Amino acid sequence: MLWIMRFSGFFSAAMVMIVLSPSLQSFHPAEAIRSSHGGDSDSNFDYKSYLRLPTSTAEKFTFRRAPVFRNAGDCRASRLGESSVCDPSLVHVAITLDLEYLRGSIAAVHSVLQHSKCPESVFFHFLVSETSLESVVRSTFPELKFKVYYFDPERVRNLISSSVRQALEQPLNYARNYLADLLEACVNRVIYLDSDLVVVDDISKLWSTELGKKTIGAPEYCHANFTKYFTEHFWSRPAFSGVFSGRNPCYFNTGVMVIDLASWRRLGYTRRIERWMEIQKTSASRIYELGSLPPFLLVFAGQVAPIEHRWNQHGLGGDNVRGSCRDLHAGPVSLLHWSGSGKPWLRLDSKQPCPLDSLWAPFDLYGH
């Protein structure tokens, strides 16, 4: 297990303490970019130009082939064949793929495989709104168990409200709301992961989270000012704010969730989320400002199975402040999440990284 102790982002860039079990490869952040499992930063690469390219050119941007990762001897054998998505021994992980975040998604998959005791037992469900990315995944991870699911942007386009960042308005951000519809009925549980994170612990530990009677599990942050996620108009209308009556709502980040899909389908949560998005669009005044998060909070806050904070050390992108570097929260770390506007691959390429970006670099497989 990888433990990263508290790191001073501004004053102690070289002072990181990492304790690893014998099963994991050790690396020091100062050496991260030179790791054999990572990528050298290319100072001549204009990533912003890459983001402007049309989808049809995706195949021109290649990734190095990942190492082959094999199951440990005591991993459960497949019961239904090599590629069956319905195999009960599988761990299911859902993640989006698009051109803008493709580099991050590939790094996230790489990190999951590298730290998993049973990597051949992880099945990835990729949500896409572009159809040219499957070949990139297949060439980078030739033995990966995965399936690509097309999410039609038109399904949510008329429900999306403007947000504080244009990136938060992209339809694919809302694909997580439809996992219960998109994935096979035999898939009753899934881990949803954002594209701007790396996992540094065995994903099966997150998979085994006890949800009890709850439909989703996530790390909660009850010290956060929950009221700021909704407008004064929302809080002044009991018809709206009354939704939290009898609940103890806390903020949680939707970039890392364990979801009971069977419960989700049975209780119709997709439609409940859509209903709040419709209210936002038709209300005389806005009831929230921040993209896809508030509808999730309206439906689930106060009804979330708690997961240790180690599974979502979020905010490393600097929230919505450009150029702001963040420190880790105190305690052990199992997942590093660059939520916010700053992404590690862009900062590394620009040679203006934050200190913690060097912990993302070893999982970067991008190459010309």
Side-chain angles (χ1 to χ4, degrees):
M1 182 185 301
L2 178 58
W3 296 66
I4 306 175
M5 305 307 292
R6 186 160 182 81
F7 182 84
S8 175
F10 295 98
F11 304 106
S12 305
M15 302 301 293
V16 176
M17 181 180 298
I18 300 178
V19 181
L20 295 156
S21 71
S23 63
L24 300 182
Q25 179 180 355
S26 174
F27 66 89
H28 190 281
E31 299 296 323
I33 296 179
R34 293 190 290 274
S35 168
S36 63
H37 291 286
D40 294 336
S41 179
D42 186 347
S43 60
N44 297 318
F45 174 54
D46 183 358
Y47 196 77
K48 292 183 179 179
S49 296
Y50 160 56
L51 298 182
R52 291 194 294 268
L53 290 170
T55 302
S56 60
T57 63
E59 66 271 12
K60 295 182 180 179
F61 294 88
T62 60
F63 293 83
R64 294 183 300 283
R65 181 172 293 187
V68 175
F69 298 97
R70 297 298 186 195
N71 283 357
D74 57 348
C75 293
R76 293 172 61 188
S78 174
R79 299 180 186 177
L80 299 178
E82 285 293 319
S83 59
S84 175
V85 69
C86 295
D87 187 338
S89 67
L90 295 175
V91 170
H92 295 275
V93 177
I95 190 169
T96 59
L97 288 181
D98 67 349
L99 276 178
E100 184 172 357
Y101 286 89
L102 181 60
R103 190 168 171 186
S105 297
I106 293 295
V109 173
H110 186 198
S111 72
V112 170
L113 296 174
Q114 180 167 322
H115 293 94
S116 177
K117 181 181 179 181
C118 305
E120 295 175 283
S121 300
V122 181
F123 194 104
F124 287 89
H125 304 262
F126 294 114
L127 312 178
V128 305
S129 292
E130 305 159 4
T131 58
S132 63
L133 301 178
E134 180 174 351
S135 60
V136 176
V137 176
R138 199 171 298 282
S139 62
T140 307
F141 304 101
E143 300 189 32
L144 189 71
K145 288 184 173 71
F146 76 93
K147 184 175 178 179
V148 171
Y149 303 78
Y150 178 73
F151 177 71
D152 186 356
E154 297 305 317
R155 189 164 185 177
V156 294
R157 199 177 300 280
N158 292 331
L159 294 173
I160 297 175
S161 303
S162 59
S163 183
V164 293
R165 273 197 296 134
Q166 187 175 5
L168 300 177
E169 301 172 22
Q170 298 306 310
L172 199 58
N173 287 340
Y174 295 82
R176 74 193 82 182
N177 303 356
Y178 298 89
L179 284 167
D181 298 334
L182 294 170
L183 273 56
E184 288 78 358
C186 64
V187 180
N188 291 322
R189 172 179 285 222
V190 69
I191 297 171
Y192 176 81
L193 298 178
D194 270 353
S195 299
D196 52 357
L197 56 77
V198 292
V199 177
V200 291
D201 203 343
D202 190 343
I203 196 73
S204 67
K205 297 176 184 177
L206 182 59
W207 175 256
S208 62
T209 298
E210 282 290 338
L211 297 182
K213 296 182 178 180
K214 303 295 194 298
T215 298
I216 70 169
E220 292 184 290
Y221 302 88
C222 295
H223 63 277
N225 180 8
F226 187 80
T227 60
K228 72 177 183 179
Y229 293 100
F230 303 96
T231 64
E232 290 185 12
H233 177 70
F234 172 88
W235 292 113
S236 67
R237 301 295 193 277
F240 295 152
S241 59
V243 69
F244 295 121
S245 178
R247 292 156 60 176
N248 182 26
C250 295
Y251 162 75
F252 65 94
N253 181 280
T254 53
V256 179
M257 296 184 290
V258 179
I259 305 174
D260 181 339
L261 294 177
S263 173
W264 184 295
R265 296 175 183 122
R266 185 176 66 256
L267 298 173
Y269 280 119
T270 294
R271 182 59 193 142
R272 297 191 196 188
I273 291 173
E274 287 180 333
R275 180 59 185 145
W276 280 111
M277 294 173 70
E278 291 169 354
I279 291 173
Q280 163 83 339
K281 294 285 286 188
T282 58
S283 179
S285 299
R286 298 172 66 96
I287 61 173
Y288 58 80
E289 301 289 350
L290 191 63
S292 62
L293 172 63
F296 251 89
L297 296 179
L298 286 162
V299 173
F300 291 110
Q303 299 174 336
V304 176
I307 293 177
E308 288 183 273
H309 289 176
R310 66 189 303 149
W311 284 105
N312 195 352
Q313 285 268 353
H314 66 289
L316 303 185
D319 288 337
N320 297 317
V321 181
R322 288 187 177 277
S324 63
C325 293
R326 287 298 183 92
D327 199 356
L328 287 179
H329 308 295
V333 178
S334 293
L335 185 149
L336 297 157
H337 187 186
W338 280 261
S339 57
S341 61
K343 303 307 173 188
W345 54 93
L346 296 177
R347 294 193 296 222
L348 286 164
D349 285 346
S350 68
K351 294 192 176 297
Q352 295 179 319
C354 288
L356 289 175
D357 294 345
S358 60
L359 300 179
W360 179 88
F363 308 104
D364 184 19
L365 292 172
Y366 180 81
H368 290 285

